[in-house]
Amino acid sequence: MIKYNHEIIFCAAETSYCGAYFKEVKMSLDPKRKAYLESLCRQFRIDVIETLHSIQTGHPGGSLSVCEILTAIFFEKARFDAKNPKWPGRDRIVLSKGHAAPMLYRILAELEFFPKEDLKTLRQAGSHLQGHPSPNHTPGIEIPTGPLGFGYSAALGMALAQRLDYPDAYTYAILGDGETNEGIVWEAAMSASKFKADNFITILDNNHVQLDGPSNVIMPMGDIHAKWSAFGYNVIHCNGHDVEDVCDAIDEAKAKKGMPSIIIAETVKGKGVSFMEGNNKWHGSAIDDESYKKAMAELKGGALDA
Amino acid sequence: MPKSIRDAYGEALRKYGVPTENVIVLDADLSGSTKSVLFAREAPDRFFNVGISENNMVAMAAGMSTCGKNVFVNTFTSFLTTIGACASKALISYGKLNVKLAGAYAGLSGAYDGPSHHSLEDIAIMRAMPNFTVFVASDEIMTDRITKYLAQEHVGPAYFRLSREAFPQIYSESDTFVPGGSKVLCEGKDAVVFSMGFMVSKALEAAKKLKAEGIEVTVVDLYSIKPLDRDTIVKYAKSTGAVVAAEEHNVIGGLTSAVSEVMLTEGAYAPLESVSMPDRHAETGKYSDLTKKFGFTAEAVEAAVKKAISRKGK
């Protein structure tokens, strides 16, 4: 029985120990651990909406949809050390859909990459929390992301470079479904397949909505399972709002050798706030006072699974 | 006959890159043209041919560099600095990443392939990106030395403008090149020619001819376009009082712009003439025919020097 413990999970300085530890991780979560992660996600949503309301800028929709995906990676699956963020053998985590930075920053703060009180400075002049992720400003960020698709190729580059020196390390890339409109995503996919990047795990936050409207209207991507499969990927599906399911999908991806894996995580844009769910208006709109009150009532009232 | 710039580069990348273990080389299906193939043959595990996907290649290089690698990216400049511009700006420049963009076939050296494959705007693009160091190769020896420097010393974003062509030899084995440096190749009191790349040898040719006519010209190779040797520009603009900028580049945004920016902001006022492409595209043809037709010649430099001198004090 593996005991889950913050200190152990995030202590990555002793690389060999952590490596061995993570190979032994069970296929499903301890119920207590699962409940803990779910409670974290609930708090992250509350805090992100609070921050975005207070600063009157930023992207709520995609931050809410990617919550469990990032939580599964950062709290369960990835090896890194917040106290030594540049540890060279760490797993790389690249939020290619960089506009979901508010959720990423909230999680990095929870992991003590930087103090939680910094979150309220998000997007303001003088803050280290830029509108889109920037490694030279914020600890825990690997590379600038934001221009969609570019983070994906960059993440592949990390995976291939890491393979030369740290074959046990993984690179996690988180894509948005709108982001896959970008041609560079498919160029990267061809390269990942050619170079058999089995240490490269892609998670698609398939929230079905982009800035201008429903994804299947703005740019229909068709059968994305068939597309990724045709590009040489091992394609896995999961419920992107079930932390345990995301964890299991990551384990499945790690078990696949000789080819890259993509996890198509089914999500809801704006998840957790009824009037934001599936509504492109909340891709990047400022949250007015009335909407904020309603959102808080829902999030704090425990409507997450509704 | 000196080696072509691309051969000198490919050979240097092999010679200095293979033994430097953190060097990784990328190409987008042009390794036979850019000569990155020479590295690929000896270090295949550190060479990645990504196919025809320049956008992806430049962004991949950015990612690789964050893992302690020194990544050389190779393709025609025409694609590298345009298709690759977003990743260059948003990832490499913004992230201050250790990526070396090696721009093959710059200027008109993609000659027969026509304007779509020429590159007369690359300096304007790369110069405007913060954190980039920008070098322009003007002969074989410099190409070798700067490639060595980029492979073994320089950490950070850099763009190196190369050529398909062979340029006349200017430097000797003992010459050294550093960011922010320049080379004063001859000194004369009447005018100064600031030049880069192919036009350095043309400027020297012009200076020689002008000397026979009793006109003494200083020729400076501004091989480091960024950082730029501002002091040398100011010094000779002031001492000669007549300035020519000679570049195989559009008149907008390249060496002419860089020199004039320094002169005006530093108060080194003097007449300035430009030998460059007058904001237009060239056409298909043999390199030597194109350079002649579009005025990248010693004669054009001579005329510009005389014109600049005639404008002194006006």
Side-chain angles (χ1 to χ4, degrees):
Chain A
M1 181 71 180
I2 291 162
K3 201 173 170 211
Y4 290 99
N5 173 305
H6 255 81
E7 274 67 47
I8 291 175
I9 288 169
F10 304 124
C11 144
E14 294 85 13
T15 62
S16 55
Y17 172 72
C18 288
Y21 175 78
F22 278 95
K23 275 178 194 142
E24 287 169 23
V25 160
K26 296 190 300 174
M27 287 300 282
S28 52
L29 293 174
D30 176 271
K32 275 187 194 159
R33 178 69 181 168
K34 188 180 175 186
Y36 169 65
L37 295 175
E38 285 168 351
S39 72
L40 280 183
C41 287
R42 185 181 306 244
Q43 193 60 48
F44 294 161
R45 285 194 165 88
I46 291 168
D47 293 348
V48 163
I49 294 300
E50 222 164 61
T51 302
L52 295 185
H53 169 252
S54 76
I55 62 177
Q56 287 294 296
T57 173
H59 297 76
S63 293
L64 294 176
S65 68
V66 82
C67 181
E68 283 80 10
I69 293 170
L70 290 179
T71 299
I73 296 171
F74 275 98
F75 288 83
E76 279 304 304
K77 292 299 168 190
R79 296 181 302 170
F80 55 85
D81 179 4
K83 297 201 167 38
N84 181 19
K86 297 283 179 194
W87 168 50
R90 69 191 180 277
D91 290 345
R92 301 310 205 263
I93 304 163
V94 177
L95 181 66
S96 193
K97 45 169 281 182
H99 55 278
M103 186 58 75
L104 175 62
Y105 294 154
R106 176 61 189 85
I107 285 171
L108 291 175
E110 185 71 22
L111 293 165
E112 298 180 354
F113 278 90
F114 50 81
K116 278 183 198 166
E117 61 253 34
D118 295 358
L119 291 167
K120 60 178 182 286
T121 68
L122 172 63
R123 284 183 166 243
Q124 307 307 303
S127 174
H128 72 84
L129 298 173
Q130 299 296 293
H132 289 83
S134 166
N136 293 324
H137 289 90
T138 311
I141 301 298
E142 301 289 358
I143 194 145
T145 56
L148 294 172
F150 288 89
Y152 192 52
S153 285
L156 172 62
M158 290 176 198
L160 296 176
Q162 281 294 76
R163 196 165 69 179
L164 295 171
D165 303 326
Y166 301 93
D168 289 342
Y170 286 93
T171 297
Y172 297 90
I174 300 100
L175 284 175
D177 59 338
E179 181 173 20
T180 64
N181 296 173
E182 290 280 5
I184 190 173
V185 169
W186 302 98
E187 293 183 4
M190 288 186 281
S191 285
S193 178
K194 171 183 171 175
F195 297 116
K196 301 182 174 26
D198 54 13
N199 61 342
F200 182 52
I201 299 174
T202 305
I203 304 184
L204 178 68
D205 177 6
N206 199 27
N207 67 28
H208 302 278
V209 177
Q210 50 198 101
L211 191 150
D212 267 347
S215 298
N216 64 1
V217 172
I218 302 308
M219 180 48 68
M221 295 302 289
D223 184 344
I224 57 172
H225 181 107
K227 272 201 168 90
W228 285 99
S229 184
F231 274 76
Y233 275 62
N234 172 40
V235 186
I236 299 163
H237 294 265
C238 79
N239 175 354
H241 293 307
D242 180 334
V243 188
E244 187 171 30
D245 210 23
V246 176
C247 289
D248 290 350
I250 290 171
D251 289 341
E252 199 181 327
K254 287 183 175 177
K256 186 74 181 179
K257 299 299 169 198
M259 66 198 299
S261 289
I262 182 167
I263 297 163
I264 299 178
E266 282 304 315
T267 57
V268 175
K269 188 131 175 170
K271 174 73 176 176
V273 179
S274 62
F275 58 89
M276 289 185 179
E277 288 189 359
N279 185 346
N280 65 298
K281 181 197 160 187
W282 294 102
H283 171 85
S285 296
I287 304 170
D288 58 275
D289 291 346
E290 197 186 327
S291 300
Y292 170 66
K293 274 183 210 147
K294 273 169 71 183
M296 280 300 129
E298 289 186 18
L299 291 170
K300 290 183 173 169
L304 277 183
D305 298 316
Chain B
M1 185 68 188
K3 267 186 212 150
S4 71
I5 299 298
R6 65 170 175 166
D7 284 325
Y9 165 75
E11 181 55 31
L13 186 60
R14 182 198 66 76
K15 195 163 54 177
Y16 308 117
V18 171
T20 310
E21 282 192 3
N22 75 330
V23 168
I24 286 187
V25 176
L26 304 186
D27 206 307
D29 193 35
L30 287 175
S31 65
S33 304
T34 65
K35 300 299 172 188
S36 70
V37 67
L38 300 174
F39 176 97
R41 282 190 196 128
E42 291 190 18
D45 56 323
R46 289 189 275 134
F47 177 78
F48 296 83
N49 192 331
V50 301
I52 308 163
S53 68
E54 296 82 7
N55 214 2
N56 172 50
M57 172 168 67
V58 179
M60 268 178 70
M64 288 172 156
S65 74
T66 67
C67 299
K69 304 301 179 188
N70 181 7
V71 193
F72 280 71
V73 183
N74 299 276
T75 187
F76 294 163
T77 298
S78 178
F79 313 141
L80 185 59
T81 57
T82 55
I83 302 173
C86 184
S88 296
K89 183 196 94 167
L91 276 61
I92 299 167
S93 162
Y94 185 32
K96 300 181 187 170
L97 301 178
N98 193 18
V99 175
K100 313 296 157 60
L101 303 179
Y105 289 32
L108 296 172
S109 71
Y112 295 111
D113 289 336
S116 60
H117 287 55
H118 298 159
S119 181
L120 296 168
E121 64 291 312
D122 54 310
I123 297 293
I125 295 166
M126 300 315 298
R127 202 163 76 81
M129 295 201 190
N131 304 318
F132 262 91
T133 296
V134 178
F135 291 121
V136 181
S138 53
D139 88 341
E140 173 193 337
I141 288 172
M142 180 202 282
T143 303
D144 177 272
R145 293 299 181 276
I146 289 181
T147 305
K148 180 182 187 205
Y149 168 76
L150 293 175
Q152 299 183 339
E153 288 182 58
H154 185 89
V155 178
Y159 169 63
F160 192 14
R161 186 186 219 228
L162 303 166
S163 177
R164 186 182 192 280
E165 292 295 313
F167 297 162
Q169 187 173 329
I170 297 166
Y171 297 104
S172 66
E173 294 293 335
S174 58
D175 276 304
T176 55
F177 306 91
V178 293
S182 67
K183 289 283 184 190
V184 179
L185 299 171
C186 61
E187 285 197 77
K189 63 180 183 347
D190 298 322
V192 58
V193 182
F194 296 113
S195 54
M196 68 177 195
F198 171 67
M199 290 309 290
V200 177
S201 57
K202 294 296 160 195
L204 285 170
E205 219 178 297
K208 211 170 166 185
K209 287 182 188 163
L210 288 164
K211 196 167 187 181
E213 297 177 33
I215 301 171
E216 291 177 18
V217 178
T218 298
V219 174
V220 181
D221 182 353
L222 290 174
Y223 63 85
S224 172
I225 291 292
K226 191 179 177 181
L228 194 58
D229 185 353
R230 299 173 72 91
D231 292 347
T232 297
I233 293 171
V234 171
K235 177 183 168 187
Y236 288 100
K238 280 186 174 168
S239 69
T240 64
V243 179
V244 171
E247 54 179 330
E248 190 188 359
H249 190 277
N250 193 322
V251 66
I252 296 172
L255 183 84
T256 305
S257 296
V259 167
S260 57
E261 285 156 17
V262 172
M263 287 168 60
L264 291 173
T265 54
E266 302 288 345
Y269 305 117
L272 169 68
E273 291 292 326
S274 177
V275 178
S276 55
M277 196 63 156
D279 196 26
R280 58 157 293 178
H281 291 288
E283 64 188 53
T284 285
K286 189 178 173 185
Y287 185 67
S288 56
D289 290 344
L290 294 181
T291 51
K292 217 167 282 169
K293 173 162 183 173
F294 292 99
F296 299 103
T297 60
E299 292 72 30
V301 176
E302 277 179 67
V305 167
K306 286 177 180 169
K307 194 167 176 199
I309 290 172
S310 74
R311 290 172 55 202
K312 275 192 195 185
K314 285 180 190 166

